[in-house]
């Protein structure tokens, strides 16, 4: 009787299906250094929900013309981001910002998803690309109608959420459960921290540049070895422009002090996630480093952490630049982009 | 046997009664909160005042504040018998995010007089711990500077001697000499003793204010033109900050809600 009750595929006549709880696979280095993953009380991880979310993630029928899925702009081999500076939505319409990598979002303790923090929760975030005219341009009415007409989705939703009338809520919950499973914590640098790998001299010096306030000073926004997320998950104007076509965080909040601010992205998996910045303006990591070294532009809201702006930046030597890039690449995690759990079935 | 039992119960009311103290005073307890505030020359500073270039330090430099985060630790109330009650091991205040401003004590306190003490930043003994929430905030100090955690990040813009708006980063940490493998460290956290507080009524709120202007004036007149950036690896600057920080935190109003 216990075995029957614990099986997710069995349905109790009075309470419906019993879901099978699932845990976030938390890397050892995360367990040692940062709080547990954030799982909302109203959307616990279940095997059924995750499987359903994965199917939805790769389903092009979530878009207006059945041409693109979430994975079209969050490609596994591109670190679940897009090699195009601005992804193409339905009808080839370009978006307005670079596709953010989907990495370790279960460990975003502060909410504020997207470049501008416009979504308080991951569930809320999923509504945006699905309905955006420059992305999937669909409606939840169309999506739930498609689900109802499908031969297997209704049963999957019932098994995952005990609902027969699928709504936006269950669609975004399932997607969120899947995305929360996407955890990257197995880079060369993670192994180095665990004593399982050795950094090259170039990578080691790159780390020193990263941590040196008089040189790279990258750690204030992107964390240090004690923050394996490699982001502070908050918003900065990093000196890209003197004025703003895209006001970023400020466009969402309306606060002029936040014009030009965008969320610090994680530095994990940079080997796969080019181009860089919120608008994908930099094709290479070398261009990114050059920006901070000598390309900073003053504006009224520039972050105080952007140093030596009058000189364009901190003026790194060529050797330090190359070493910094080498270190940054050590944060890439091939096992993440090749993890079958995240790839289409 | 039954008679003995009955006699025992009949005596209980008398045995339990203390003839010498018919007027026992019930213990009255209060909720306690600490309210962390900030001001510059008595002008209150919250996130709403961020980025206004309207403050002038003792050296005459006009400045703004656009980020202010700091860590108070070992927050303790000590009663008149010397018994200490820890309100919190640490409290992280982020003015911009409006977090950490109000710290509620986890237990009620008997009404009476207490002394309130705390520390700005972690003492050396605590600075070597692992604090997962602070790690997630990227509050750590890089290993070449001795590791541990920041005490404060205060940032903004000041107008330099050439009338150019210039970013400053007034970051306080444990002072580090010879950053790298041979770094030596000096504990520059600051003990903050705020004096006696009377806890009364059903709830007491204690204001602890950071007088920001004091970072810049006493005993060391701070010249932002000379010391505005890259202060973390600057051992001497950290010592100066420690000296100036001794009178930065003061007791503000103590508010009591009557029962």
């Amino acid at each position: 009787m216990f075995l029957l009750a614990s099986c997710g595929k069995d349905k109790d006549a009075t309470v419906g299906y019993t879901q099978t709880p699932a845990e976030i696979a938390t890397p050892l280095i995360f367990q040692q250094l940062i709080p547990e993953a954030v799982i909302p009380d109203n959307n616990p991880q279940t095997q059924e929900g995750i499987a359903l979310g994965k199917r939805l993630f790769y389903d092009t029928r979530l878009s207006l013309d059945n041409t693109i899925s979430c994975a079209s702009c969050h490609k596994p081999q591109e670190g679940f981001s897009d090699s195009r500076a601005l992804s193409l939505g339905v009808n080839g319409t370009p978006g307005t910002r670079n596709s953010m990598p989907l990495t370790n979002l279960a460990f975003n303790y502060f909410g504020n998803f997207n470049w501008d923090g416009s979504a308080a929760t991951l569930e809320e975030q999923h509504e945006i690309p699905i309905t955006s005219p420059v992305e999937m341009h669909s409606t939840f009415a169309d999506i739930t109608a498609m689900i109802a007409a499908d031969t297997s989705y209704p049963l999957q939703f019932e098994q995952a959420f005990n609902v027969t009338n699928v709504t936006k809520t269950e669609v975004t919950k399932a997607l969120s459960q899947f995305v929360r499973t996407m955890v990257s914590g197995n880079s060369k640098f993670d192994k180095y921290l665990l004593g399982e790998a050795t950094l090259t001299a170039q990578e080691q010096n790159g780390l020193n540049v990263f941590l040196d306030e008089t040189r790279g000073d990258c750690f204030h926004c992107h964390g240090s070895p004690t923050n394996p997320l490699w982001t502070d998950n908050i918003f900065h104007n990093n000196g890209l422009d003197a004025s703003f076509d895209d006001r970023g965080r400020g466009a969402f909040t309306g606060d002029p002090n936040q014009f030009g601010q965008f969320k610090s992205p994680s530095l994990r998996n940079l080997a796969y996630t080019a181009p860089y910045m919120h608008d994908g303006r930099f094709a290479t990591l070398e261009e990114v480093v050059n920006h901070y070294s000598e390309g900073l532009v003053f504006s009224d809201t520039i972050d105080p952490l952007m140093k030596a702006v009058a000189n364009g930046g901190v003026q790194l030597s060529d050797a330090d630049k190359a070493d910094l890039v080498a270190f940054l690449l050590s944060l890439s995690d091939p096992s993440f982009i090749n993890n079958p759990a995240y790839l289409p079935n | 046997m039954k008679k003995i039992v009955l006699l025992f119960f009949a005596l209980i009311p008398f045995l339990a009664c203390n003839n010498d103290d018919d007027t026992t005073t019930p213990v009255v307890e209060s909720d306690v909160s600490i309210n962390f505030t900030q001001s510059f020359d008595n002008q209150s500073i919250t996130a709403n005042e961020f980025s206004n270039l309207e403050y002038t330090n003792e050296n005459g430099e006009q400045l703004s504040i656009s980020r202010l985060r700091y860590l108070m630790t070992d927050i303790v109330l000590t009663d008149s018998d010397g018994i200490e009650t820890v309100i919190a091991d640490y409290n992280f205040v982020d003015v911009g995010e409006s977090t950490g401003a109000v710290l509620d004590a986890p237990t009620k306190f008997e009404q009476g007089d207490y002394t309130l003490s705390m520390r700005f930043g972690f003492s050396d003994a605590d600075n070597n711990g692992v604090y997962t929430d602070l790690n997630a905030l990227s509050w750590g100090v890089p290993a070449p500077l001795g590791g541990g955690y920041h005490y404060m990040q205060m940032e903004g813009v000041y107008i330099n001697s050439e009338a150019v708006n210039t970013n400053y980063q007034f970051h306080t940490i444990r002072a580090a000499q010879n950053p790298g493998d041979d770094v030596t460290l000096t504990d520059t956290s600051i003990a903050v003793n705020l004096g006696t507080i009377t806890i009364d009524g059903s709830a007491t709120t204690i204001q602890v204010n950071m007088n920001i202007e004091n970072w810049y004036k006493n005993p060391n007149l701070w010249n932002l033109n000379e010391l505005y950036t890259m202060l973390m690896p600057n051992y001497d600057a950290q010592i100066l900050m420690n000296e100036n920080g001794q009178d930065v935190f003061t007791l503000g109003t103590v508010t009591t809600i009557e029962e």
Side-chain angles (χ1 to χ4, degrees):
Chain A
M1 187 62 186
F2 173 78
L3 290 174
L4 291 175
S6 64
C7 177
K9 297 288 189 257
D10 288 305
K11 183 179 183 181
D12 184 291
T14 55
V15 297
Y17 288 95
T18 301
Q19 289 75 40
T20 311
E23 299 289 329
I24 298 289
T26 305
L28 179 59
I29 205 74
F30 287 27
Q31 295 175 37
Q32 293 173 345
L33 292 171
I34 55 176
E36 292 180 358
V38 180
I39 308 298
D41 291 341
N42 66 356
N43 191 21
Q45 297 286 110
T46 68
Q47 290 182 16
E48 294 78 12
I50 293 165
L52 177 57
K54 180 176 175 178
R55 181 179 174 192
L56 290 165
F57 187 86
Y58 287 102
D59 193 336
T60 57
R61 291 177 294 169
L62 266 62
S63 63
L64 174 69
D65 57 3
N66 301 335
T67 57
I68 64 173
S69 68
C70 305
S72 301
C73 304
H74 297 281
K75 301 179 179 74
Q77 292 306 306
E78 293 168 12
F80 291 90
S81 66
D82 195 346
S83 57
R84 290 186 58 90
L86 303 176
S87 301
L88 299 180
V90 295
N91 301 321
T93 310
T96 56
R97 293 178 184 153
N98 187 240
S99 168
M100 292 195 87
L102 304 179
T103 312
N104 298 334
L105 296 181
F107 297 89
N108 177 359
Y109 309 104
F110 316 115
N112 300 327
F113 293 87
N114 291 331
W115 283 108
D116 57 7
S118 55
T121 66
L122 202 47
E123 284 75 6
E124 191 179 314
Q125 194 284 331
H126 283 112
E127 296 180 29
I128 297 172
I130 288 174
T131 57
S132 166
V134 294
E135 297 186 58
M136 301 168 87
H137 201 188
S138 189
T139 67
F140 280 95
D142 286 349
I143 290 170
T144 52
M146 177 276 289
I147 288 167
D150 188 81
T151 55
S152 53
Y153 263 138
L155 177 60
Q156 270 192 284
F157 271 94
E158 192 174 359
Q159 289 174 338
F161 297 108
N162 281 315
V163 294
T164 53
N165 181 28
V166 176
T167 67
K168 174 177 71 178
T169 300
E170 292 78 33
V171 173
T172 56
K173 280 186 172 182
L175 284 166
S176 299
Q177 286 191 40
F178 172 59
V179 170
R180 286 194 176 98
T181 67
M182 298 164 69
V183 176
S184 176
N186 192 33
S187 68
K188 178 182 179 180
F189 193 80
D190 295 310
K191 293 174 184 172
Y192 162 73
L193 290 177
L194 294 169
E196 299 169 358
T198 305
L199 297 185
T200 65
Q202 191 177 26
E203 291 165 343
Q204 182 62 59
N205 185 55
L207 172 61
N208 293 339
V209 173
F210 186 95
L211 296 176
D212 187 344
E213 198 184 23
T214 65
R215 291 191 285 174
D217 187 20
C218 313
F219 65 93
H220 275 118
C221 300
H222 290 290
S224 66
T226 58
N227 179 3
L229 301 176
W230 297 99
T231 172
D232 60 3
N233 269 318
I234 57 177
F235 304 90
H236 303 270
N237 170 358
N238 61 341
L240 290 169
D241 299 300
S243 60
F244 313 112
D245 294 331
D246 182 346
R247 290 176 169 175
R249 178 72 172 157
F252 173 66
T253 64
D255 182 352
N257 290 327
Q258 295 180 321
F259 285 176
Q261 290 185 351
F262 295 90
K263 176 175 279 195
S264 311
S266 172
L267 299 182
R268 285 189 174 273
N269 299 316
L270 294 175
Y272 321 119
T273 59
Y276 309 102
M277 304 292 155
H278 68 276
D279 53 6
R281 70 177 65 188
F282 296 136
T284 66
L285 280 179
E286 286 76 11
E287 289 180 38
V288 174
V289 171
N290 286 340
H291 164 70
Y292 289 111
S293 179
E294 55 259 359
L296 295 178
V297 176
F298 180 82
S299 62
D300 286 341
T301 60
I302 191 169
D303 197 287
L305 289 167
M306 299 297 116
K307 295 170 180 165
V309 181
N311 298 322
V314 289
Q315 310 289 322
L316 293 175
S317 69
D318 288 345
D320 279 351
K321 287 180 181 177
D323 293 354
L324 181 56
V325 169
F327 160 68
L328 292 172
L329 291 173
S330 79
L331 298 170
S332 292
D333 176 2
S335 70
F336 175 67
I337 63 170
N338 295 308
N339 189 335
Y342 312 146
L343 301 178
N345 294 328
Chain B
M1 184 63 181
K2 189 183 282 183
K3 286 180 180 175
I4 295 173
V5 173
L6 286 172
L7 179 63
F8 175 76
F9 281 105
L11 284 171
I12 284 179
F14 300 100
L15 292 171
C17 178
N18 182 344
N19 289 331
D20 297 329
D21 185 11
D22 284 335
T23 57
T24 302
T25 304
V27 173
V28 181
E29 295 184 321
S30 299
D31 292 316
V32 172
S33 299
I34 299 179
N35 184 21
F36 292 93
T37 60
Q38 308 77 36
S39 64
F40 200 112
D41 285 339
N42 297 317
Q43 292 183 66
S44 174
I45 292 181
T46 68
N48 294 332
E49 287 77 37
F50 271 14
S51 301
N52 297 338
L53 254 168
E54 62 182 35
Y55 310 106
T56 304
N57 67 11
E58 188 76 0
N59 200 44
E61 289 125 7
Q62 199 173 342
L63 59 90
S64 69
I65 295 165
S66 57
R67 180 173 295 120
L68 180 53
R69 314 198 295 175
Y70 59 97
L71 185 71
M72 304 303 291
T73 70
D74 289 337
I75 301 165
V76 172
L77 278 172
T78 304
D79 70 14
S80 53
D81 294 327
I83 297 172
E84 296 182 347
T85 303
V86 176
I87 294 179
D89 290 330
Y90 62 92
N91 184 54
F92 180 79
V93 181
D94 186 333
V95 179
E97 295 296 319
S98 301
T99 56
V102 177
L103 174 64
D104 293 323
T107 58
K108 289 177 178 284
F109 284 78
E110 286 185 34
Q111 294 180 349
D113 289 344
Y114 295 79
T115 56
L116 175 62
S117 62
M118 57 188 72
R119 179 170 288 277
F120 172 69
F122 279 130
S123 68
D124 259 5
D126 292 331
N127 214 354
N128 295 322
V130 175
Y131 304 91
T132 58
D133 55 338
L134 299 179
N135 287 343
L137 290 161
S138 293
W139 193 242
V141 170
L145 288 172
Y149 295 87
H150 284 77
Y151 302 161
M152 180 177 73
Q153 294 176 345
M154 181 165 63
E155 302 164 6
V157 168
Y158 81 102
I159 301 174
N160 72 11
S161 54
E162 297 173 351
V164 175
N165 286 13
T166 304
N167 291 336
Y168 74 87
Q169 309 93 35
F170 197 96
H171 288 199
T172 59
I173 61 170
R174 176 169 51 181
Q177 269 183 322
N178 302 319
D181 293 339
D182 298 322
V183 65
T184 57
L185 303 170
T186 300
D187 186 344
T188 40
S189 63
I190 298 171
V192 178
N193 295 304
L194 294 158
T196 301
I197 288 128
T198 300
I199 292 177
D200 200 3
S202 61
T204 300
T205 299
I206 306 162
Q207 181 192 17
V208 176
N209 189 57
M210 178 197 282
N211 302 280
I212 296 171
E213 71 278 8
N214 286 2
W215 286 113
Y216 296 111
K217 65 179 179 187
N218 182 36
N220 307 297
L221 181 64
W222 196 274
N223 184 345
L224 269 175
N225 290 291
E226 296 172 356
L227 293 169
Y228 67 99
T229 191
M230 300 176 191
L231 303 180
M232 290 175 68
N234 186 333
Y235 179 87
D236 293 338
Q238 293 299 327
I239 297 298
L240 295 173
M241 291 171 176
N242 168 271
E243 292 170 353
N244 281 11
Q246 299 296 323
D247 62 354
V248 159
F249 292 94
T250 55
L251 183 66
T253 57
V254 178
T255 309
T256 298
I257 298 175
E258 297 303 328
E259 291 159 272

